[in-house]
Amino acid sequence: MTVPGRRSSNFTRLLRHGFTDPSAAERLLDLPDMSSARTDPVLLDALGATADPDLALRGLVRLVEAQDPAERQSLLDTLITAKPLRDRLLGVLGASEALGDHLARHPRDWQALVTYEATDLHPGVADFERGLADAIDPVTLRIAYRRCLLSIAARDVCGTTDVAQAAAELADLATATLRAALAMARSAAPADAAQCRLAVIAMGKCGGHELNYVSDVDVIFVGEPVEGADESKAIQAATRLASHLMRICSETTVEGTIWPVDANLRPEGRNGPLVRTLSSHFAYYQRWAKTWEFQALLKARPVAGDLALGEDYIEGVSPLVWQAAERENFVGDVQKMRRRVVDNIPVAEVERELKLGPGGLRDVEFAVQLLQLVHGRSDATLHSGTTLEALRALAHGGYVGRADAAQLDQAYRFLRAMEHRIQLYRLRRTHLVPEDEADLRRLGRSLGLRTDPVAELNKEWKRHASVVRRLHEKLFYRPLLDAVAQLTPGETRLSPEAARQRLEALGYADPGAALRHLEALSSGVTRKAAIQRTLLPVLLGWFADSADPDAGLLGFRKVSDALGKTPWYLRLLRDEGAAAENLARVLSAGRLAPDLLLRAPEAVALLGDPEGLAPRGREALEQEVLAAVGRADTAEAAVAAARGVRRRELFRTAAADLIGSYGTEDSPAEADPGELVDRVGNAVTDLNAATISGALRAAVRAQWGDTLPTRFAVIGMGRFGGHEQSYGSDADVLFVHEPREGEDEQEATRAANRVVTEMRRLLELPTADPPLLIDADLRPEGKSGPVVRTLASYEAYYRRWSLVWESQALLRAEPMAGDVDLGRRFIDLVDPLRYPVEGLGDDAVLEIRRLKARMESERLPRGADPTLHTKLGRGGLSDVEWTVQLFQMRHGWAEPGLRTTRTREALAATHAAGLISTEDAQILDEAWVLATRVRNGVMLVRGRAGDTFPSGGRELAAVGRYLGYGPGHVGDMLDDYRRITRRARAVVEVLFYGA
């Protein structure tokens, strides 16, 4: 008798055996049908050993109740006395609610678990065919399929088979099922069967002998006419048979479904014919197939129908598979495929995705398949469709490090075991780790984690996913280092030819040079070489993700040679996660940033500082430059210091631009390209202004000490005044001076001219630093007029001689260096010219339009494509800027927002004032930003300025990557540019030309 308020000893015993609801378990054990077994310690121990004792007991009670009354005791007696049956049956009931439901519907099927002979331990296709032999229609086929599945699950949960063996058995059961379904289809249409030969080729996990419990079964159908039959009619007959086979397996009946049969891996996918002849298949693969299709064919295996025809298919496609790495577009396809496809996974599910998430099964499978494609053309031992077998072969051949392969094998097995147990519970196709505590507990216990199942499961899962993430990239690149390293005796390495093949597949144009760089960087026993061996596998992956991996690796070697002996360099790359990736992106994105960095490699420190890539303001730059000038002994040394600051800041700006455009693993690419453009324009303008201030101070101090006999100001014009400079822009300027009180005007003018001459000389001295060219051609009278004028001279000229184009050019005028008050008074002088009261007259508007039309016809370089020229082409910079400037000159007097030197600000103000529509403003802004980004990209990639897209394929691809276009999408980039600028030109025709 149980004392009130005290739990029974049976309750406590159930709790100790792992039941989460002992009260419900007590009630079930107290049922009359369970009376003979309720106190049996063997039964309780067996229930407690299952993944979910509560589920196992509920399933057992349902099974007992479903028996004929005369057979219930026989089941319980057999269960208690036969340990193999007990472990199998209860193991299945504790792991799979769906198979418990099946047993309740078909209560005699438990007897399929009684036999325990050697052949029962590892059945093959023939055994499963015997198990399905009595099926006569889709319903009985499902019942027989579940009965066979019951035996596979029993061996799996009891540990009789491991995860790879269970997956192979599931694939063999699928093979037997496809054969049975085809036999039913042929029996239902004997006339069709008599006309054709039909082979069923398994693809995907079924073809690879590694099927899940619940998965689509991927197939390809091959048909041929029998001798004497019409080919067209035979293929139609084969198509009807194939379609019927698919329905038999896929349709839902009273016994549910088996699995969908998916034929979408066939040539042309769902748009192509379901059945093709051998010759049709071969013609498609030889002419049209993409790299991913050959990757899919790695797992092709004939499983049903005419097996001789299936073997002919495999014999025909196999050479094409192993030649895929020699295809012209293989590298680009590989780069696209290497990007993990997670965009279509809901954000909330990414971290629970076993298959497609970071560190998931797909990472392992893809890495193994890619290495097979690269090296299988010369090594037939790699020709396996099974992931783990192929991984072992790769390790044995030295294509993958043995330790890496062992870790990856272990991680893959654990992740597949998780996937199997998750799917087994309800026999549903899913790759998501559950969130419910009870589901996680059952999953953890099913994998042998019993102390704290949920915590242990999460720990093991994250550990194995982390291993996959870490080794996914390393798998490609670590053996490349071993190929050039001194290995211990007995270790296998990549042959030089295999290393070259792999580098070529990863996009390296000169694999021989790449191997020499790797050897130089990683050979030896020094701490430096050891750190390099740790860094390089990851860096090589980032380089391969760019348009020019060779340049990235060469640049890294040069930087490492320059900084390798400094104590902080390798430590920075090793310990600061962002620094190494940022460096890889910068070195492999083009010529400009690496050239700037290699002139002063210590600037690499900027890449590891979270704030290191933020642009510095004008004031801070001027302070640094003027301080450096003040410390120098000569004007040349002063400006050399100023140009050194400019070089470092150009690198900072270029690096930030590239990293913001490419994005990193931890931060996505900048979503607003206009923000990137503005950031570059402001940063380059500020540092050029600071550099000119330094040159002005140096020129004055060298000849006149602290005070020049005339006040002197530098007025920015063009893109300089508009804060829209690019990396290679000249500085368009006007020079203005005003003699100091008591100074002779002619002497003051000579002094001002000498200052200009000296500034230009200093800024263009040949040094390692990029020169800053000063262009004063926008001055009154152009090249014929004096380089420097007094303020009074400017006033007289503009009052008497000024032309409309000069007023338009003054829209960009802004003081940049020198005397602040003089610069302000110059702006006061020109404001009435650029923003005339009551706006421009009709004659002036016509003159501006005439000038623009003449410029379009005369200044576009001969042979240039007007649809792709960023400055003078259709819908390019000139079109947008002249349109905006026309609005400024017509309405700036009345709209203060239009009084700005910056194009985008003026365009926004034009829209805010209601002068243009929202749509037109957006079209013009998008075109201007895109054209500016193309110019910036060309300079970053080529290291020299250009107004049109590069003609070279690799440079064009690099510009595309900078603009956000992945490998193989250069055509999309050019199409988008033409489309966007064409729309802008249509707006310009209306707003500027009045069409």
Side-chain angles (χ1 to χ4, degrees), residues 87-423:
D87 291 343
R88 287 174 162 207
L89 179 57
L90 295 182
V92 168
L93 291 173
S96 178
E97 185 178 72
L99 289 177
D101 293 341
H102 172 83
L103 285 169
R105 290 196 308 275
H106 305 282
R108 299 182 64 83
D109 279 3
W110 67 271
Q111 295 176 11
L113 303 180
V114 173
T115 55
Y116 202 78
E117 299 174 358
T119 56
D120 180 54
L121 292 181
H122 301 294
V125 175
D127 299 289
F128 290 124
E129 285 188 286
R130 284 191 291 273
L132 302 176
D134 293 336
I136 58 174
D137 55 35
V139 173
T140 53
L141 181 61
R142 280 151 177 72
I143 295 170
Y145 176 84
R146 291 282 194 281
R147 189 183 305 122
C148 293
L149 193 65
L150 192 65
S151 66
I152 295 175
R155 286 186 294 276
D156 184 11
V157 298
C158 292
T160 307
T161 56
D162 64 16
V163 67
Q165 291 169 325
E169 288 183 16
L170 288 165
D172 286 341
L173 176 56
T175 296
T177 305
L178 289 169
R179 292 178 181 180
L182 181 56
M184 290 180 187
R186 292 172 67 89
S187 177
D192 285 344
Q195 290 189 68
C196 64
R197 302 168 64 197
L198 178 64
V200 183
I201 311 297
M203 303 287 286
K205 282 186 161 50
C206 183
H209 238 86
E210 49 189 16
L211 197 61
N212 298 331
Y213 276 101
V214 187
S215 173
D216 292 355
V217 170
D218 297 308
V219 299
I220 285 176
F221 295 107
V222 184
E224 289 287 340
V226 298
E227 188 174 349
D230 178 76
E231 181 178 300
S232 175
K233 291 181 179 178
I235 296 303
Q236 291 174 15
T239 300
R240 289 191 291 272
L241 291 174
S243 299
H244 194 186
L245 176 153
M246 294 173 72
R247 291 196 302 275
I248 289 170
C249 296
S250 305
E251 286 181 344
T252 301
T253 69
V254 292
E255 285 293 333
T257 185
I258 302 179
W259 17 247
V261 176
D262 188 342
N264 287 337
L265 290 177
R266 66 186 185 269
E268 299 181 80
R270 66 178 67 245
N271 297 319
L274 184 62
V275 181
R276 288 176 183 256
T277 62
L278 276 176
S279 59
S280 177
H281 275 286
F282 298 159
Y284 173 85
Y285 287 122
Q286 288 167 351
R287 187 171 184 184
W288 303 111
K290 298 179 175 61
T291 299
W292 70 263
E293 294 179 276
F294 293 113
Q295 183 182 5
L297 285 170
L298 281 170
K299 295 184 177 295
R301 179 172 63 94
V303 292
D306 191 318
L307 296 182
L309 177 59
E311 291 296 343
D312 289 341
Y313 172 86
I314 298 299
E315 185 179 344
V317 299
S318 184
L320 301 176
V321 171
W322 303 115
Q323 292 165 11
E326 299 170 7
R327 289 160 55 91
E328 183 179 350
N329 59 344
F330 181 74
V331 171
D333 288 344
V334 166
Q335 288 179 322
K336 282 187 283 187
M337 290 191 296
R338 283 182 60 250
R339 286 167 179 76
R340 194 178 290 112
V341 184
V342 296
D343 293 345
N344 58 345
I345 304 174
V347 175
E349 296 180 358
V350 169
E351 294 302 319
R352 295 193 293 127
E353 252 284 352
L354 273 176
K355 182 177 180 180
L356 299 177
L361 293 162
R362 177 62 59 82
D363 279 352
V364 182
E365 292 160 359
F366 173 79
V368 169
Q369 289 163 21
L370 178 57
L371 291 175
Q372 285 180 277
L373 286 176
V374 172
H375 300 296
R377 49 185 161 166
S378 57
D379 188 345
T381 65
L382 304 182
H383 296 188
S384 171
T386 306
T387 301
L388 292 178
E389 286 183 7
L391 181 59
R392 281 194 295 275
L394 287 165
H396 181 74
Y399 305 104
V400 171
R402 289 184 179 178
D404 293 344
Q407 288 188 65
L408 212 56
D409 180 282
Q410 185 182 20
Y412 187 74
R413 288 174 182 274
F414 183 85
L415 296 174
R416 282 301 301 273
M418 282 184 68
E419 183 182 45
H420 277 193
R421 299 295 195 274
I422 291 168
Q423 293 184 350

Side-chain angles (χ1 to χ4, degrees), residues 724-735:
E724 296 163 0
Q725 288 200 289
S726 180
Y727 302 102
S729 296
D730 296 348
D732 290 316
V733 299
L734 297 178
F735 296 110

Side-chain angles (χ1 to χ4, degrees), residues 845-900:
V845 172
L846 286 173
E847 176 65 12
I848 289 175
R849 289 171 176 167
R850 187 185 63 78
L851 287 170
K852 174 74 168 69
R854 193 175 107 193
M855 183 178 71
E856 289 177 12
S857 64
E858 295 179 0
R859 293 185 59 188
L860 189 70
R862 179 176 297 177
D865 184 346
T867 67
L868 294 176
H869 198 278
T870 59
K871 183 177 181 181
L872 301 174
R874 180 192 67 190
L877 297 172
S878 176
D879 271 0
V880 178
E881 290 165 1
W882 280 61
T883 301
V884 171
Q885 290 162 10
L886 184 59
F887 276 102
Q888 288 182 280
M889 297 184 74
R890 298 180 79 173
H891 302 282
W893 67 277
E895 295 291 343
L898 288 170
R899 299 172 203 161
T900 174

Side-chain angles (χ1 to χ4, degrees), residues 622 689 692-694 696-697 711-715 736 759 815-823:
E622 280 197 5
I692 288 174
S693 292
L696 175 59
R697 174 72 61 87
R711 294 180 180 86
F712 188 91
V714 182
I715 310 298
V736 57
M759 285 175 63
M816 288 293 174
D819 190 288
V820 175
D821 178 66
L822 180 59

Side-chain angles (χ1 to χ4, degrees), residues 523-586:
S523 60
V525 295
T526 64
R527 180 174 172 274
K528 169 186 168 184
I531 296 176
Q532 288 282 22
R533 285 193 291 271
T534 302
L535 290 169
L536 277 166
V538 183
L539 287 167
L540 284 169
W542 285 323
F543 293 148
D545 199 34
S546 73
D548 195 348
D550 300 82
L553 181 56
L554 174 61
F556 181 69
R557 180 181 176 182
K558 289 180 178 179
V559 172
S560 296
D561 287 347
L563 295 178
K565 294 181 180 179
T566 58
W568 56 268
Y569 167 63
L570 290 175
R571 186 171 66 242
L572 171 78
L573 298 184
R574 183 192 63 192
D575 299 339
E576 297 292 339
E581 184 177 5
N582 289 345
L583 179 60
R585 298 297 183 206
V586 166

Side-chain angles (χ1 to χ4, degrees), residues 732-808:
D732 290 316
V733 299
L734 297 178
F735 296 110
V736 57
H737 78 104
E738 185 178 64
R740 298 184 185 277
E741 292 183 9
E743 295 288 348
D744 178 71
E745 182 171 331
Q746 289 186 341
E747 184 60 34
T749 299
R750 280 194 293 270
N753 276 291
R754 286 204 299 274
V755 165
V756 170
T757 301
E758 181 66 0
M759 285 175 63
R760 282 179 152 174
R761 183 185 74 84
L762 293 171
L763 290 172
E764 295 175 18
L765 281 174
T767 69
D769 297 315
L772 175 56
L773 302 178
I774 292 179
D775 187 341
D777 288 352
L778 290 175
R779 65 187 183 270
E781 301 179 76
K783 294 182 179 180
S784 302
V787 175
V788 189
R789 287 177 182 263
T790 63
L791 185 62
S793 176
Y794 275 107
E795 181 179 15
Y797 176 86
Y798 288 137
R799 183 174 65 249
R800 187 173 183 184
W801 303 110
S802 178
L803 301 174
V804 67
W805 74 263
E806 291 177 301
S807 297
Q808 183 181 353

